[in-house]
């Protein structure tokens, strides 16, 4: 994770410094046409790209995260919770597929507002290999349990471009992820025991700050990257978060494009709420494939 963070920061710093570099043309007459086309793209055509610097952008697609999840939930009756690995202890699949959607509004040439939504519902059934204390109950060795972990994450972020040129922008981000989680464990009835369950739902706001960059690589190619981090305590919720995204865009036709990228969110939440005292540590990281539609007037960016 540290290496990935350093790599993304270096990309954000390196690309703006090199994005305006124009290859020197040879004096040979055979390369004159190539030089003219290259210069035209560098000087004027960026403002006319149908996918770049439009007022609005809508994105929807699939996310293929690899999950690593640890949780501990204390009981109201003094039951000391067991730290549980959802993938190893409860049989949750590490690899999943989920929906990812975003909406971006270019307020001005330097300001933008972004909204993101992510949803992931997971279930698993497994025979326990050890006793587990979860909530108000103990789930025994060899007991067959069913676990649920349903999550929705909404995010809002404001971005301000410190560097603003026709072919690239880079700046600061401030925003917040809001986590809506529903976590449950159910012991299935058998000849030795009765059925019982513990379910918990909670909401956790996770503010963050970061850096972002957006670059034109060619008439049909673009690049976007951001990194966000923050550790903060709000009331009885203590959260630490790092998120990142790196995606490449290809313009298919007019205002319609496709992106392929890699996205991740890693956080830990320690919380004390009604019927819940414990922590959740979750990381999901993986590739994304999305469709992009841009519309509205071009936002003019001066050189």
């Amino acid at each position: 994770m540290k290496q990935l963070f350093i790599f993304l920061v270096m990309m954000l710093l390196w690309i703006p410094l090199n994005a305006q570099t124009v290859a020197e043309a040879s004096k040979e007459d055979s390369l004159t046409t190539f030089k003219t086309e290259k210069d035209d793209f560098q000087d004027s055509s960026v403002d006319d790209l149908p996918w770049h610097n439009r007022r609005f952008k809508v994105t929807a697609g699939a996310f293929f995260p690899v999950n690593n999840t640890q949780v501990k939930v204390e009981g109201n009756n003094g039951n000391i919770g067991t730290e549980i690995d959802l993938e190893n202890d409860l049989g949750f699949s590490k690899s999943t597929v989920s929906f990812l959607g975003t909406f971006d509004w270019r307020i001005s040439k330097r300001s933008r507002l972004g909204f993101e939504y992510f949803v992931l519902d997971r279930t698993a059934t497994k025979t326990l290999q050890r006793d587990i204390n979860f909530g108000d109950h103990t789930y025994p060795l060899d007991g067959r349990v069913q676990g649920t972990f349903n999550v929705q994450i909404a995010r809002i972020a404001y971005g301000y471009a410190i560097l603003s040129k026709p072919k690239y922008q880079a700046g600061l981000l401030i925003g917040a992820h809001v986590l809506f989680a529903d976590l449950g464990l159910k012991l299935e009835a058998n000849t030795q025991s009765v059925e019982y369950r513990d379910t918990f739902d909670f909401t956790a706001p996770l503010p963050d700050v970061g850096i972002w960059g957006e670059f034109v690589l060619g008439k049909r190619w673009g690049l976007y990257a951001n990194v966000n981090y923050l550790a903060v305590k709000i009331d009885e919720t203590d959260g630490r978060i790092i998120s990142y995204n790196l995606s490449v865009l290809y313009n298919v036709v007019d205002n319609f494009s496709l992106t392929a990228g890699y996205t991740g969110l890693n956080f830990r939440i320690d919380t004390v709420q009604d019927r819940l005292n414990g922590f959740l540590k979750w990381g999901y990281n993986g590739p994304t494939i999305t469709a992009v539609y841009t519309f509205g007037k071009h936002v003019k960016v001066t050189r």
Side-chain angles (χ1 to χ4, degrees), residues 125-152:
T125 301
K126 186 175 181 179
T127 300
L128 295 180
Q129 305 301 307
R130 59 173 176 144
D131 290 347
I132 288 178
N133 294 330
F134 183 85
D136 293 330
H137 295 100
T138 296
Y139 294 79
L141 172 69
D142 293 330
R144 188 165 179 81
V145 298
Q146 182 181 80
T148 59
F149 182 47
N150 301 327
V151 177
Q152 299 179 64

Side-chain angles (χ1 to χ4, degrees), residues 149 151 153 179 206 239-242 265-269 280-284:
F149 182 47
V151 177
I153 296 178
L179 171 69
L206 299 169
R240 293 167 291 284
I241 179 174
I242 180 170
L265 176 65
N266 299 272
F267 62 83
R268 172 170 172 146
I269 300 172
L280 169 65
K281 182 180 180 181
W282 183 30
Y284 62 87

